[in-house]
Each structure stands twice: as C-alpha cells, then as structure tokens.
Amino acid sequence: MGSPPSSERALVAALDPYERLIEVGVGRRPDVALALADRGRAVVAVDVDVSESAREAAATAARSGGGSLRVAAADVTALAADDGRAIRDAVGSEWVGDGVDAVYARNLPAEIQRPTVALAERLDAACLFTTLGFEEPVVDVRRRSREAGSVVYVAR
C-alpha cells in the first residue's frame, strides 16, 4: 500500500491538535478518521449511508487500542438544523455535554459546506476541510497551505 495522498496527510496534520472530532461525509474513505484514531484521538464519522469500509475501520480502531473511531448514519444538513436531539443520537450525549473540538471533512462538496460549518458553530468547534480540488469554498475560510500544494480550509 502506498503513502496517503498529500491532501490526506495535510488534513491529519492540521487536525492533530484536536482530541474529539466529528468527520462529516466519511463515505468509503475512512483513512483520515482511522489515522486520527491511531494518534489517540476520539472520532465519530458520520454519513447518510455508512459504508462497510467505514465500519471495518471502526473495528480496526477498536482492536488497536489507541483512540477511538465510531461511525454513525446521519445527515449533516439535519444535524446542523436540529434542536440537539439528532446530534446527541448521532455522536452521543456525552460528546455534546463534554464538547467536540473540531468538525472536519475530506473532499467536502460545495453544497455541504454551509451545513458543516453550521454544525461546527452549534457545537462551538473548529471547522476544517479540504475540497474536491476543482471547487473553491463557498463559505468564509482561511487557507492553510501544507505540503505539496495541499490546502486545508479553516472555516472557524
């Protein structure tokens, strides 16, 4: 297996200071969530349809004994607009009470950027993401350049 793409390495490096994280839209690529769990972080990865690869990554993280990775079926748009119940159901009531440090996404499409930032605001968490590459962010961001031209966007 080759080394992870530079955008993935850049995102993991940017998220390293945070202990409790929510990944939005994990899809079939749980590599960032798993890398963070391997670094001792607690991650909840959400997506409208949790893939088998995300479930396998959570099982791998559980066996490794480092941090933790849990996956949950949830729609970020619903979480961002919810009164709090859906967030508690998706990520766990202890997370809402104890705090989330960062909400992040890899290859975040433009149409999901606003709800992702809104979720981070609801949780008083940082918000970092990468885009699909051909899209520019549609929310206010600071660009954090990393290795090999990779850019991590910081929305909060």
Side-chain angles (χ1 to χ4, degrees):
M1 185 144 97
S3 66
S6 62
S7 63
E8 182 181 308
R9 289 190 309 268
L11 188 56
V12 171
L15 293 166
D16 193 49
Y18 303 102
E19 294 294 324
R20 296 166 63 99
L21 306 106
I22 296 174
E23 178 169 345
V24 171
V26 66
R28 294 186 185 107
R29 296 183 147 195
D31 304 332
V32 171
L34 189 55
L36 290 165
D38 286 346
R39 290 178 175 214
R41 307 306 183 264
V43 182
V44 175
V46 299
D47 206 323
V48 291
D49 185 22
V50 176
S51 69
E52 188 58 33
S53 55
R55 292 182 199 285
E56 289 170 4
T60 298
R63 288 191 301 270
S64 75
S68 65
L69 170 57
R70 193 164 43 88
V71 295
D75 179 348
V76 68
T77 304
L79 295 177
D82 185 68
D83 63 3
R85 181 176 175 200
I87 295 170
R88 286 190 302 277
D89 290 348
V91 302
S93 59
E94 71 280 1
W95 275 55
V96 175
D98 292 342
V100 173
D101 299 318
V103 174
Y104 74 92
R106 177 181 175 192
N107 299 334
L108 189 63
E111 66 270 13
I112 304 176
Q113 291 175 15
R114 282 189 178 86
T116 301
V117 173
L119 176 61
E121 287 173 349
R122 287 186 63 105
L123 297 170
D124 194 27
C127 183
L128 295 85
F129 62 91
T130 62
T131 64
L132 293 168
F134 57 86
E135 290 183 328
E136 284 295 313
V138 297
V139 294
D140 289 335
V141 295
R142 289 186 331 269
R143 285 168 169 75
R144 185 182 290 176
S145 295
R146 294 285 179 171
E147 62 182 87
S150 295
V151 177
V152 173
Y153 299 99
V154 180
R156 331 186 353 101

